[in-house]
Amino acid sequence: MSTSLVLAAKAPIVAYASLIAAAFINTEKSDTSINVSFVDEKAPEVKLSQGDKVIATDNNSVFNHLVGLSKISTDNLSEWIEFSSKLTTKDFKLLSVELEKLDSHLNFRSFIVGHKVSASDIAVWGVLRANPVMGSVIKSSAYINVSRWYLFLDSDKRFGGMVELMNKSIVEIRKAASSASGEKKTHKA
Amino acid sequence: MADLVAPLKALSLKDVEKADLSSEFAELSSEELALESQWLTLSKRLPESLVEFNDNLRNKTYLLGNKASIADVKVFVKVLPILTGKNYSVEELAQFRHVFRWADLIQNSLITIPDDMKLKLNYDVEIPREVKA
């Protein structure tokens, strides 16, 4: 039975962590693969189904489920998922307190846990990528270690590459929708 | 785009002593080779050049940027003896934080070295946040 993942582009916090976890599964050498698609909707933020059966519709459950299907390391993951939940705020003062912690954590670390990419990197990066405040934070290099780590992961096809793919797909969906409604109007006239 | 967890085989120090390592890593482009040679030149002026190493690694995970390469291993074996066998003050750790981070990454991912030769690093030592110059 095929497993499919649908992401909502207009969700308040786009479920990038689930998208990235699916990309990891799909690039691993295994029999498991996830069909990924996108919708131009607000909710549910993400939907994971197996055949006709919906498994979960929130980022945390879907992410945990996907990580379980993958070979990604999950050391200390729950701690970092909890941390990532504090990174959704658009209030810069609140966010900067958390970014300072992350920056200090990354003083002597290249990855959040251990010496290779893990589920904790995905969880934290996914939430930061979805936060509209982060663009200018990264540009300003106010948090030097955070910027280095963030841009490093961004350069990976399963991180930045997947976000790019999603953005492109949504542009296509919107084009198709607007030309469809355009056609209707012409038809009426 | 790069694949961060491309299964790189960790080399041993003996491998590094061997003349040709290029088979273990992706071949470098001419631009990357030029960068590698700059780093190797810099490594001849250690420990004075540690400041430059640190500045260069501030926004790079690996020497060539986002991609682990043979350059990391070659330069690491030059830098390691400079870093080990010393107790660093908090000020020194803060001053060279990016070199320590990079060296620790390399010794735990791209090369396998005996524990007693490794750089010992306390990841959680508190150092002041670096402010952009």
Side-chain angles (χ1 to χ4, degrees), chain A residues 116-129:
Chain A
K116 62 177 182 167
V117 69
S118 76
S120 299
D121 291 295
I122 302 174
V124 176
W125 194 91
V127 173
L128 288 179
R129 184 61 184 79

Side-chain angles (χ1 to χ4, degrees), chain B residues 40-50 52:
Chain B
L40 286 167
T41 308
L42 208 58
S43 70
K44 287 179 188 150
R45 288 194 292 110
L46 287 166
E48 291 75 20
S49 58
L50 272 184
E52 282 160 271

Side-chain angles (χ1 to χ4, degrees), chain A residues 24 100 103 105-111 115-117 140-145 148 151-158 160-161 164, chain B residues 1-5 57-62 66 93 97-98 100-101 104-105 108-109 121-125 127 129-132:
Chain A
F24 270 77
E100 240 175 78
D103 198 67
H105 182 79
L106 293 169
N107 267 328
F108 297 109
R109 292 178 179 93
S110 302
F111 295 96
H115 297 92
K116 62 177 182 167
V117 69
S140 72
S141 295
Y143 302 92
I144 290 170
N145 299 318
R148 181 193 64 244
L151 294 171
F152 170 52
L153 294 181
D154 190 47
S155 76
D156 187 281
K157 59 189 176 192
R158 295 157 303 182
E164 211 176 291
Chain B
M1 264 187 240
D3 195 340
L4 301 183
V5 289
L57 286 164
R58 179 168 285 119
N59 52 16
K60 290 191 190 95
T61 294
Y62 297 101
N66 294 325
L93 287 170
R97 66 183 79 192
H98 303 295
F100 286 114
R101 175 201 53 82
D104 185 69
L105 173 65
N108 286 295
S109 58
L121 192 58
N122 173 4
Y123 302 117
D124 293 311
V125 62
I127 55 175
R129 179 151 82 91
E130 199 172 36
V131 185
K132 199 188 167 193

